Amino acid sequence: MPGTIPREQVGYFHAFQDGVDYCFVDHPAYHRLGREIYGGSRHELLFRCALLAKAALEAPWQVACGGAPYGESKLVFVANDWHASLLPAHYRDHGKLSYARSLLIVHNIAHQGRGPLEDLGWLEVPEQYVDHFRLWDASGGEHMNIMKAGAITANRIVAVSSRYAGECQTQEQGFGLDSIMREQSWKLTGVVNGIDYTEWHPASDPHLRRDGYANYDVNTLTEGKARCKAALQKELRLPVDPDAPLLGFIGRLDSQKGVDLIVESYDWLMGEGAQLVLLGSGREDLEAALRDMERRHPDRCRAWVGFSVKLAHRITAGVDLLLMPSRFEPCGLNQLYAMAYGTPPVVHAVGGLADTVKPFNPYQNTGTGKEQT
């Protein structure tokens, strides 16, 4: 129970760059798993998340941000998803940070930090906040739910799109927290993610400077896209055919992303003369399905099981349409990249996809993509 975890010492790495202070927490627990930041046992992950929250609360007194420690004045803590949802509950009722405020960002409400109630003993949760972590639903019974506590104790909640803020309050998309989100709807809003145009811009993209690809902008869109399409077909050893519809998919291979819908439509797409390029990894059965699709039509389909930053950029520039049949999508980034590259996305009208992709209107010649409901 509270007090059973020994005191831990952390270090801080601090840098000031482009007018922004960057602060990183150092502890052996973060080194052992390397890049597997969500790896290890459940208790090990809980320990790392709790340690991060407590270290973040100490940072305003310990790290010379802006030349001197912030202290208690004018503080806003931004907590991302359940992994940081402990922070809003931890900083209260200690006689410190009385004027601090906290903001919970919900990127994906399906991931909530669930576990048995006994795990609260690992987190040193103040007794008066235990009920904030307690949740009962049909799928998990009575359990500890860290995101629930974050949603209740945070001063504001921001979902990563306006549509998703509404979807989080429905039984279909709230994943057991819909009633909590409805109760907290007075402080819930949605803000769409942005993209970094220094990394994702066809006019300056370094991955388009060789192998037959070409940088392009709005004035050279037609020629630039045509060169990138031909270069992508050549690189992936598909027939170089400007008239063949070239469709792309980039993403995680799981149920959320709807790649199984592409698998189900595969024979029809091949019958229509389309070419298909898929890039991603995830569920083993879906990885096997992608390999089988390429095996069945090696002249029409390429499946890259894994991930390549270079190929993701080249697919975005080279395909005619980017497929995003997600069953739910809090915001989505690939459709934003596609539209920046002049590639119309074909999306399900959910979450951030509905907020960002404007349906094509052939009568008014407006819109940025195609929505399916």
Side-chain angles (χ1 to χ4, degrees), residues 223-366:
E223 313 92 88
K225 286 280 295 176
R227 283 188 58 181
C228 288
K229 178 178 180 177
L232 182 64
Q233 291 171 322
K234 182 179 180 180
E235 180 179 5
L236 298 181
R237 298 182 181 179
L238 294 171
V240 178
D241 182 354
D243 297 322
L246 181 56
L247 314 181
F249 170 87
I250 303 169
R252 193 172 63 251
L253 304 184
D254 62 14
S255 177
Q256 177 197 338
K257 298 299 182 181
V259 68
D260 56 298
L261 301 177
I262 300 176
V263 175
E264 292 174 5
S265 304
Y266 174 71
D267 289 328
W268 180 82
L269 291 171
M270 296 297 99
E272 293 295 309
Q275 296 178 341
L276 184 60
V277 177
L278 306 103
L279 172 65
S281 62
R283 274 174 33 190
E284 291 184 3
D285 61 323
L286 293 174
E287 291 183 353
L290 263 61
R291 294 187 179 100
D292 180 64
M293 289 159 60
E294 178 175 327
R295 180 190 60 78
R296 289 162 56 196
H297 289 280
D299 61 331
R300 300 272 190 82
C301 180
R302 284 292 176 270
W304 183 301
V305 176
F307 192 72
S308 163
V309 172
K310 178 177 74 172
L311 187 57
H313 282 248
R314 290 180 169 184
I315 290 173
T316 302
V319 297
D320 296 308
L321 299 171
L322 186 74
L323 306 180
M324 294 189 67
S326 302
R327 288 183 169 85
F328 69 95
E329 192 65 67
C331 179
L333 292 173
N334 285 332
Q335 85 279 10
L336 301 177
Y337 300 147
M339 291 186 290
Y341 280 59
T343 301
V346 179
V347 305
H348 267 156
V350 295
L353 301 180
D355 282 353
T356 57
V357 179
K358 304 307 177 187
F360 174 62
N361 184 326
Y363 301 103
Q364 299 179 359
N365 197 31
T366 59

Side-chain angles (χ1 to χ4, degrees), residues 30-88:
Y30 300 122
H31 295 277
R32 187 174 66 83
L33 295 170
R35 295 186 178 183
E36 299 295 325
I37 61 173
Y38 303 120
S41 69
R42 185 178 73 252
H43 286 161
E44 289 173 330
L45 178 56
L46 288 176
F47 173 82
R48 297 198 302 273
C49 291
L51 190 66
L52 177 63
K54 291 196 171 187
L57 293 173
E58 290 290 336
W61 287 294
Q62 306 298 331
V63 182
C65 292
Y70 285 162
E72 294 195 33
S73 64
K74 300 180 181 178
L75 285 177
V76 176
F77 292 102
V78 179
N80 287 277
D81 281 333
W82 77 262
H83 312 85
S85 289
L86 288 166
L87 190 151

Side-chain angles (χ1 to χ4, degrees), residues 59-284:
W61 287 294
Q62 306 298 331
V63 182
C65 292
Y70 285 162
E72 294 195 33
S73 64
K74 300 180 181 178
L75 285 177
V76 176
F77 292 102
V78 179
N80 287 277
D81 281 333
W82 77 262
H83 312 85
S85 289
L86 288 166
L87 190 151
H90 267 308
Y91 78 82
R92 301 171 183 274
D93 299 340
H94 297 290
K96 302 288 185 180
L97 301 173
S98 301
Y99 298 100
R101 296 295 182 265
S102 58
L103 185 68
L104 174 64
I105 311 296
V106 179
H107 296 267
N108 191 333
I109 202 171
H111 304 287
Q112 302 171 2
R114 292 176 173 234
L117 284 170
E118 302 82 68
D119 283 354
L120 287 175
W122 285 76
L123 304 177
E124 297 182 328
V125 172
E127 189 65 32
Q128 66 270 32
Y129 290 120
V130 168
D131 282 343
H132 291 335
F133 289 80
R134 192 190 310 271
L135 183 68
W136 187 95
D137 64 18
S139 63
E142 187 175 64
H143 65 280
M144 173 193 72
N145 192 298
I146 297 177
M147 182 171 277
K148 178 200 172 191
I152 292 173
T153 56
N155 296 103
R156 291 291 186 271
I157 308 170
V158 176
V160 289
S161 69
S162 295
R163 175 73 70 97
Y164 192 59
E167 291 173 350
C168 287
Q169 301 174 58
T170 67
Q171 285 188 328
E172 294 79 10
Q173 303 286 5
F175 293 92
L177 285 181
D178 51 287
S179 63
I180 303 299
M181 301 305 280
R182 288 194 296 272
E183 291 170 5
Q184 306 299 320
S185 62
W186 63 272
K187 61 182 180 183
L188 170 63
T189 190
V191 178
V192 171
N193 283 335
I195 62 175
D196 186 348
Y197 287 105
T198 64
E199 292 189 16
W200 287 90
H201 197 293
S204 57
D205 191 330
H207 302 293
L208 305 182
R209 293 175 183 166
R210 60 185 69 87
D211 302 329
Y213 293 85
N215 292 113
Y216 58 90
D217 57 22
V218 66
N219 297 313
T220 57
L221 174 66
T222 301
E223 313 92 88
K225 286 280 295 176
R227 283 188 58 181
C228 288
K229 178 178 180 177
L232 182 64
Q233 291 171 322
K234 182 179 180 180
E235 180 179 5
L236 298 181
R237 298 182 181 179
L238 294 171
V240 178
D241 182 354
D243 297 322
L246 181 56
L247 314 181
F249 170 87
I250 303 169
R252 193 172 63 251
L253 304 184
D254 62 14
S255 177
Q256 177 197 338
K257 298 299 182 181
V259 68
D260 56 298
L261 301 177
I262 300 176
V263 175
E264 292 174 5
S265 304
Y266 174 71
D267 289 328
W268 180 82
L269 291 171
M270 296 297 99
E272 293 295 309
Q275 296 178 341
L276 184 60
V277 177
L278 306 103
L279 172 65
S281 62
R283 274 174 33 190
E284 291 184 3

